[in-house]
Amino acid sequence: MRISVIGCGYLGAVTAACLAQLGHEVVGVDVDAAKIELLAGARAPFFEPGLDEILGSATQTGRLRFSTDIADVEGAAVHVIAVGTPQRKGENAADLSYVDAALEALLPHLGPDDLVVGKSTVPVGTAARLAARLDEAGCGATLAWNPEFLREGYAVRDTISPDRLVYGVAAGEEGVRAAKLLDEVFAEALAHDTPLIVTDYATAELVKVSANAFLATKISFINAMAEIAEAAGADVTALADAIGHDTRIGRRFLNAGIGFGGGCLPKDIRAFTARAEELGRGESIAFLKEVDKINLRRRERMVEMVVESLGGTVYQKKVTVLGLAFKPESDDVRDSPALDVAVRLNGLGAHVVATDPAAIPNSIRLHPQLGFATDTRDALRGADAVVLVTEWAQYRSLDPVEVGQLVRDRLILDGRNVLDPQTWRQAGWTYRGMGRP
Ligand code: UGA
């Protein structure tokens, strides 16, 4: 199929490359010329394992192109809207201006049989509004909503082999036709028995935000248990292992620590709250405000623990911060708890030296006041305290004996509860996890 993808940020670039890899002829369009130049040279504008490789192989087949000219979408039968929906400044609600602008830009180029497919995360009700706009424009094209569940770090795998597909389509013939076109787009995944849910627009939009709200709630639940464990002298990691054995609960997303961040969970729960209030149902998901608060408290707690462990002040102490990205295998520092902890410690007068395998350039752009070291050993040298806040494999596998030779004081604070306390303590370290005795 010929497919256009509007917006070549995280979601769009991965979607365009994967659809081309699956055999479609794809053009990716974005207004950012620098991004398009990189992508056209088969280079990802951000860190994502495996993306460079599929950009390379798909470009070589001639099936993948990138352009800054929206007119290049002409000839495609399916147009995917994959632009961002960031949090509005000073508000909880999502900023839909990029979605609206993408549709307006597409309108003059749409043919009567074309299908517009929304993938961006939007407040429920957006698809119906956009479908009405398409009708009003009278171009004959139809709209479907097809939320995306890809995780950064696994984006290629999640796109090529999703764990489910959701189509939100219009009622009647129009919807049947839209679903048929989407079946062609996802023929490969469907051939591998990927579960498919065909539903209405509102349900498809809600599936996406409620999935992220559930994940955020799961993380804040275990972090709330960590707070109780701290007060009661219990171990939240053992607790998570024990309750996780109940398959109704499950162990995944029960890792307590400094909490969730990134470009999705935090802004999605806030936008969901704002939308529920607009719908007069704020009460129904008022708990998400608590989820957000618990999450933000854990970063503060980490900072408090560093201050306490250093005898009441971090002023002029060298603190090594291991990790800046919001999670491993990513260079994304949007709403990153790790970067936040580094910034707060720096604000309290600590001499922070932060390191990360991928996220230093993005962190420097936002917080040039921090100290950075690209080499882990350099970062650790002379440290009064070491704070692990993003669980990259290279930090999880640090040898406490070897690292002990580099630091001034053997004090480690594990903001992701990924180190073995016993091994570190045996090597002469003071180890402190979160919600662990
Ligand atoms: C999240 C969802 O997992 C995807 O399904 C969704 O498609 C995506 O948002 C999106 O809306 O686009 P992502 O933001 O890539 O994906 O990251 P996650 O793997 O969900 O992690 C989010 C945050 O939660 C990270 O900061 C991570 O460190 C934290 N986390 C995760 C915990 O603190 N504890 C856990 O047990 C799991």
Side-chain angles (χ1 to χ4, degrees):
M1 283 190 105
R2 292 181 68 182
I3 301 175
S4 80
V5 178
I6 322 303
C8 293
Y10 205 88
L11 171 61
V14 172
T15 303
C18 292
L19 289 175
Q21 183 74 6
L22 290 170
H24 301 297
E25 199 177 304
V26 181
V27 59
V29 181
D30 199 291
V31 290
D32 183 340
K35 201 179 275 175
I36 290 298
E37 196 183 320
L38 276 173
L39 287 165
R43 285 190 21 234
F46 45 81
F47 179 94
E48 179 61 39
L51 182 56
D52 276 335
E53 288 77 357
I54 66 155
L55 277 170
S57 63
T59 306
Q60 261 176 14
T61 63
R63 288 196 303 265
L64 180 61
R65 292 181 300 127
F66 289 95
S67 168
T68 52
D69 185 359
I70 188 74
D72 284 337
V73 307
E74 281 180 21
V78 172
H79 307 273
V80 179
I81 296 184
V83 293
T85 51
Q87 188 175 342
R88 273 193 227 152
K89 284 224 157 52
E91 283 178 58
N92 278 336
D95 175 359
L96 295 177
S97 59
Y98 303 104
V99 172
D100 289 331
L103 186 71
E104 290 304 320
L106 266 176
L107 283 177
H109 307 286
L110 293 176
D113 296 324
D114 286 8
L115 178 68
V116 177
V117 179
K119 264 193 179 296
S120 307
T121 302
V122 292
V124 59
T126 306
R129 181 170 65 73
L130 299 182
R133 177 70 188 110
L134 269 181
D135 276 351
E136 176 195 292
C139 57
T142 50
L143 181 82
W145 214 261
N146 169 232
E148 182 57 59
F149 307 99
L150 63 83
R151 297 160 298 168
E152 294 191 19
Y154 303 90
V156 171
R157 197 170 80 190
D158 286 351
T159 306
I160 294 196
S161 324
D163 50 18
R164 80 285 212 187
L165 285 166
V166 177
Y167 306 164
V169 295
E173 253 325 287
E174 197 182 321
V176 173
R177 210 182 67 82
K180 256 174 86 180
L181 278 170
L182 285 169
D183 283 350
E184 277 184 60
V185 174
F186 299 114
E188 178 76 21
L190 292 171
H192 287 92
D193 294 330
T194 303
L196 167 66
I197 288 106
V198 183
T199 182
D200 51 77
Y201 292 146
T203 307
E205 292 167 314
L206 271 178
V207 167
K208 169 67 194 196
V209 283
S210 59
N212 276 1
F214 191 87
L215 294 172
T217 303
K218 208 171 171 191
I219 300 167
S220 277
F221 173 82
I222 201 65
N223 280 329
M225 294 307 107
E227 291 185 341
I228 305 291
E230 270 158 25
D235 182 344
V236 74
T237 307
L239 182 148
D241 290 344
I243 63 172
H245 281 300
D246 183 333
T247 49
R248 294 171 303 173
I249 296 173
R251 181 61 178 84
R252 294 176 74 191
F253 270 66
L254 279 186
N255 295 318
I258 56 166
F260 60 80
C264 303
L265 300 193
K267 68 118 173 134
D268 287 354
I269 59 169
R270 291 171 197 151
F272 195 12
T273 304
R275 184 62 184 136
E277 282 165 4
E278 277 172 15
L279 292 169
R281 291 288 188 279
E283 233 173 69
S284 307
I285 53 166
F287 68 91
L288 287 180
K289 289 187 182 164
E290 213 54 51
V291 164
D292 201 6
K293 278 195 215 159
I294 294 167
N295 190 51
L296 296 174
R297 264 202 317 262
R298 299 315 284 161
R299 309 168 179 194
E300 275 170 38
R301 176 67 191 137
M302 178 84 267
V303 173
E304 240 174 58
M305 280 168 53
V306 181
V307 173
E308 268 168 32
S309 306
L310 285 172
T313 177
V314 293
Y315 187 67
Q316 289 192 344
K317 296 278 172 61
K318 177 169 174 182
V319 180
T320 300
V321 175
L322 297 176
L324 290 161
F326 83 105
K327 68 174 190 180
E329 303 301 329
S330 169
D331 65 356
D332 199 340
V333 294
R334 284 176 294 171
D335 213 331
S336 167
L339 180 58
D340 195 20
V341 165
V343 169
R344 287 170 192 238
L345 288 169
N346 178 76
L348 293 175
H351 169 43
V352 168
V353 179
T355 186
D356 189 285
I360 291 179
N362 285 340
S363 304
I364 291 181
R365 233 167 277 139
L366 293 178
H367 293 288
Q369 78 276 20
L370 297 178
F372 296 98
T374 44
D375 182 77
T376 311
R377 294 174 65 87
D378 289 344
L380 287 163
R381 213 160 272 126
D384 294 301
V386 179
V387 185
L388 191 162
V389 273
T390 313
E391 68 277 31
W392 286 91
Q394 49 266 65
Y395 305 149
R396 302 174 74 133
S397 62
L398 281 172
D399 175 357
V401 176
E402 204 187 312
V403 178
Q405 313 295 319
L406 298 169
V407 296
R408 185 166 24 228
D409 247 330
R410 296 185 178 191
L411 168 63
I412 184 139
L413 296 110
D414 182 0
R416 294 293 181 181
N417 289 344
V418 288
L419 302 175
D420 177 35
Q422 224 185 333
T423 319
W424 283 75
R425 285 179 183 141
Q426 272 165 5
W429 286 78
T430 301
Y431 170 94
R432 292 189 68 182
M434 300 194 80
R436 301 175 105 176

